[in-house]
Amino acid sequence: MRLSYAMLALAANAGSSSAFQSPTAAVAGWRSTTTMTTTTTSSNDDFVFGTALMAATMDGTAMSAAERAANGTRRKKTKQERLELATKGLQVHVIGLSIHHAQVEVREKLAIPESEWNDQSNIICSTGQVEEAAILSTCNRFEIYFAASDAREANARVMEYLAERSGLPVSALRRNIFMLEGEDAVWHLMRVAGGLDSLVVGEGQILSQVRQCHLHSIEDDGRGGKVLSRLLNNAVAAGKRVRSETNISKGSVSISSAAVELSETMCMKDLNLPFSEARLAVVGAGTMTRLLITHLASRGLERIAIVNRSMARPLELREQFPDVDIEIVLEDGLWDVVRRSDIVFTATSSPEYVIDKSLLKQNGLDGGRPLMLVDIAVPRNIGPDSAEVHSVKPYNVDDLKAVVAKNTAMRQREMIEAEILLRDEASTFNGWRESLSAIPTINQLQERANMFRQEELKKCTRKLSQNNNFSDRELEAVERLSRGIVNKMLHGPMSHLRRAESVEKKQAALSELSSMFRLDDDEEGPRGKGRRRK
């Protein structure tokens, strides 16, 4: 196990009660930071309903683009400047918290709307300890990816920012956050993009969120830089590869998707009707309803009725799903909608039953017409006595959990294959980052060789130009010849530097070349100059 000096220092300052918590453990062969205190494992209910948890956003400390301009935001670095910074040993870090081990009260204090990701990244980098930064803030996680040459100062700066933004003492933050650096940070991001760190393994939404994080980082006001933008881009490619080359995203593993799968499977048996011809309705218009419509739309849904207490959320859903004909009905029209529907999904926050045996009878729905009721709410919206009504087929969350459990087991098997692919992608990035350390030596080698080439060419052309038989074109050919010889001679050493398989081999190669070509000398004058000929 490897803990950074910054992590050890922060832990020492906090006293014996502080703790750093890591994300869910990766497979053997990859290091992960060990939790110093025991955390409570998420329950099955947390697993099932995690996708419905939404963290509130904050209005607090965001700095607008205009304010940044007024305060004198630092000039955006050129490509060459970013390359030079990358070669100075910038290391990748991540500090964050997620639904796995952080309290919702803490997550909601740190949540940042996507429109402010770049503003807050600039604030983090404004003091100079952090060179590159990118924020990923979703309903289930909040993570800051950053690159810096001094880990201790950079970690302290990010912790300072988190305390300022949340209004929480650092001691409270430490009990909820995790801190990773180097290959551990890279591996964590790969697992996040691949959906392996999600509450619902393999879910696809996180990949689009990582992609947005990358796109924001490379915008004009983004702070991705050469190292971090490359890491995020590699993570997006890794996530796509996992989903295209494995079956980890196949099968319903959330309550909303399981509800759709179950109703589609049982439609012919319970209703004697193809699912594509069933009339559908949803009671409620919250997050679960949005997810439900998302899965229904993926199966070709064209029309659905939404019953809700107010118009605002259904109207938002209508905007989000322009290809679906959404009929909006207020709650006093509930039973009119139920009477003309074949399948009714319920997803409200009501503490009382919305539909039960007595209400079905009162509204004339005990006459024998088949009706399927799918309850995806907790507490339940449909009374268990609804099953006593002839031809009514109610399903609740426990029925849906069986579907989820079956598909989750299948995805767990796919995780092994997915992690093999992610390990390959992580190694690619780590190898690229290590290759940056060779750039200064390569540049020195090229400059030294070019200096000697120009010295010798100058002597040669001075003699050749005295002979009127040589034209300017021919002298240019000689100059091209000298460049070609030097480039071919340097190709082998430079390729050797880039191909070094390990950090130790690369450092050894750098040392050998520096000594061989005397690259550590500040200046190398013309050969023989100032020396007495013997």
Side-chain angles (χ1 to χ4, degrees):
M1 180 186 70
R2 180 188 64 197
L3 294 175
S4 69
Y5 291 118
M7 293 167 64
L8 292 173
L10 287 171
N13 292 337
S16 59
S17 62
S18 66
F20 291 99
Q21 298 181 344
S22 67
T24 50
V27 293
W30 283 89
R31 300 182 305 278
S32 62
T33 304
T34 302
T35 311
M36 288 183 168
T37 59
T38 303
T39 57
T40 302
T41 305
S42 300
S43 66
N44 290 336
D45 288 341
D46 287 338
F47 181 88
V48 173
F49 296 109
T51 54
L53 295 176
M54 299 295 290
T57 58
M58 297 179 62
D59 296 325
T61 59
M63 181 186 293
S64 66
E67 288 172 330
R68 290 202 316 276
N71 292 339
T73 302
R74 293 190 301 169
R75 175 180 62 84
K76 189 173 178 67
K77 293 180 175 60
T78 64
K79 181 178 180 181
Q80 181 60 32
E81 288 172 333
R82 293 197 301 272
L83 178 61
E84 290 175 359
L85 278 172
T87 62
K88 290 180 180 179
L90 290 185
Q91 184 60 275
V92 177
H93 305 260
V94 57
I95 292 180
L97 66 171
S98 73
I99 197 172
H100 293 299
H101 45 68
Q103 300 171 350
V104 66
E105 293 81 2
V106 178
R107 297 203 314 276
E108 66 186 7
K109 289 182 182 298
L110 288 172
I112 299 176
E114 185 178 334
S115 59
E116 297 179 18
W117 287 0
N118 283 356
D119 290 328
Q120 298 302 312
S121 296
N122 276 281
I123 291 174
I124 293 170
C125 296
S126 62
T127 57
Q129 295 95 333
V130 176
E131 289 292 344
E132 303 176 9
I135 291 172
L136 176 63
S137 181
T138 73
C139 59
N140 287 334
R141 69 177 66 248
F142 171 82
E143 297 175 351
I144 299 175
Y145 291 89
F146 57 101
S149 55
D150 189 316
R152 185 188 184 91
E153 290 185 358
N155 279 284
R157 167 56 189 153
V158 174
M159 288 299 298
E160 176 188 38
Y161 164 81
L162 293 175
E164 291 175 354
R165 174 152 184 97
S166 66
L168 296 171
V170 173
S171 58
L173 288 171
R174 288 197 189 103
R175 288 192 292 270
N176 290 272
I177 67 169
F178 62 85
M179 305 175 73
L180 300 170
E181 69 170 87
E183 293 182 4
D184 293 331
V186 173
W187 179 234
H188 172 70
L189 178 57
M190 293 297 170
R191 296 186 82 249
V192 168
L196 305 191
D197 192 62
S198 298
L199 208 57
V200 176
V201 176
E203 59 100 0
Q205 188 178 15
I206 187 61
L207 177 57
S208 64
Q209 292 164 337
V210 173
R211 180 175 180 272
Q212 287 303 112
C213 180
H214 169 247
L215 293 177
H216 285 302
S217 75
I218 61 177
E219 290 174 343
D220 289 340
D221 62 341
R223 294 303 299 252
K226 185 177 182 66
V227 173
L228 213 55
S229 59
R230 174 71 173 246
L231 171 62
L232 290 166
N233 188 46
N234 277 28
V236 173
K240 291 179 178 178
R241 186 179 173 192
V242 164
R243 286 163 177 81
S244 63
E245 297 183 29
T246 73
N247 293 319
I248 199 165
S249 59
K250 300 295 189 298
S252 303
V253 290
S254 69
I255 287 298
S256 54
S257 59
V260 174
E261 183 174 322
L262 180 66
S263 59
E264 184 176 27
T265 302
M266 303 303 294
C267 191
M268 184 60 73
K269 177 182 178 182
D270 292 348
L271 306 178
N272 195 28
L273 185 70
F275 186 70
S276 59
E277 298 178 13
R279 295 167 295 180
L280 308 179
V282 183
V283 184
T287 301
M288 297 297 279
T289 298
R290 177 178 60 80
L291 295 171
L292 187 68
I293 297 176
T294 299
H295 293 295
L296 288 169
S298 68
R299 285 168 164 78
L301 170 71
E302 297 180 353
R303 180 180 175 82
I304 192 169
I306 295 180
V307 181
N308 198 50
R309 288 178 294 180
S310 62
M311 296 288 290
R313 286 188 173 180
L315 288 173
E316 291 177 4
L317 291 172
R318 182 181 281 175
E319 291 181 2
Q320 292 176 13
F321 299 95
D323 296 331
V324 179
D325 181 8
I326 297 178
E327 177 190 2
I328 301 174
V329 181
L330 293 178
E331 61 181 346
D332 56 1
L334 167 64
W335 292 102
D336 288 335
V337 172
V338 174
R339 274 190 288 267
R340 53 186 167 86
S341 299
D342 300 303
I343 302 175
V344 178
F345 302 92
T346 58
T348 80
S349 58
S350 173
E352 300 177 355
Y353 295 139
V354 176
I355 299 174
D356 60 14
K357 178 180 178 179
S358 62
L359 291 172
L360 287 166
K361 288 186 174 182
Q362 287 177 23
N363 289 277
L365 288 166
D366 58 344
R369 186 180 70 83
L371 175 64
M372 183 188 298
L373 303 176
V374 184
D375 190 356
I376 60 176
V378 174
R380 290 176 293 176
N381 291 162
I382 298 175
D385 59 359
S386 298
E388 299 173 10
V389 179
H390 180 63
S391 74
V392 172
K393 298 293 183 180
Y395 297 95
N396 60 31
V397 170
D398 288 341
D399 299 310
L400 302 177
K401 282 182 179 179
V403 177
V404 171
K406 176 183 176 182
N407 291 326
T408 299
M410 180 272 293
R411 289 197 182 187
Q412 293 293 335
R413 292 192 296 269
E414 294 294 325
M415 283 183 66
I416 299 174
E417 183 178 351
E419 287 189 320
I420 292 173
L421 299 178
L422 292 176
R423 190 181 297 115
D424 182 46
E425 294 293 333
S427 296
T428 298
F429 171 80
N430 290 326
W432 170 83
R433 184 192 163 280
E434 290 299 336
S435 71
L436 294 177
S437 63
I439 292 178
T441 300
I442 290 174
N443 289 341
Q444 281 184 291
L445 184 58
Q446 289 175 323
E447 290 172 3
R448 179 61 56 89
N450 192 52
M451 181 184 71
F452 287 132
R453 182 187 69 82
Q454 290 178 340
E455 288 174 358
E456 298 304 319
L457 182 64
K458 186 176 180 180
K459 295 176 185 177
C460 178
T461 54
R462 190 165 50 240
K463 294 178 181 179
L464 293 177
S465 61
Q466 295 173 357
N467 188 336
N468 295 329
N469 292 331
F470 283 87
S471 64
D472 290 342
R473 186 173 182 179
E474 290 169 328
L475 291 175
E476 288 177 4
V478 173
E479 200 273 341
R480 287 196 301 272
L481 173 66
S482 69
R483 280 204 311 269
I485 292 173
V486 168
N487 289 340
K488 288 187 176 182
M489 288 292 293
L490 293 182
H491 177 72
M494 290 191 294
S495 296
H496 179 63
L497 276 179
R498 294 191 179 100
R499 284 198 306 265
E501 296 176 357
S502 65
V503 178
E504 292 77 13
K505 289 183 178 179
K506 187 177 293 294
Q507 290 175 342
L510 289 172
S511 178
E512 289 173 3
L513 284 174
S514 295
S515 176
M516 189 181 304
F517 289 94
R518 302 177 64 183
L519 300 181
D520 293 332
D521 294 351
D522 291 336
E523 286 190 20
E524 178 78 16
R527 283 183 301 170
K529 187 174 182 179
R531 297 179 181 177
R532 179 179 297 177
R533 294 183 63 182
K534 294 184 180 180

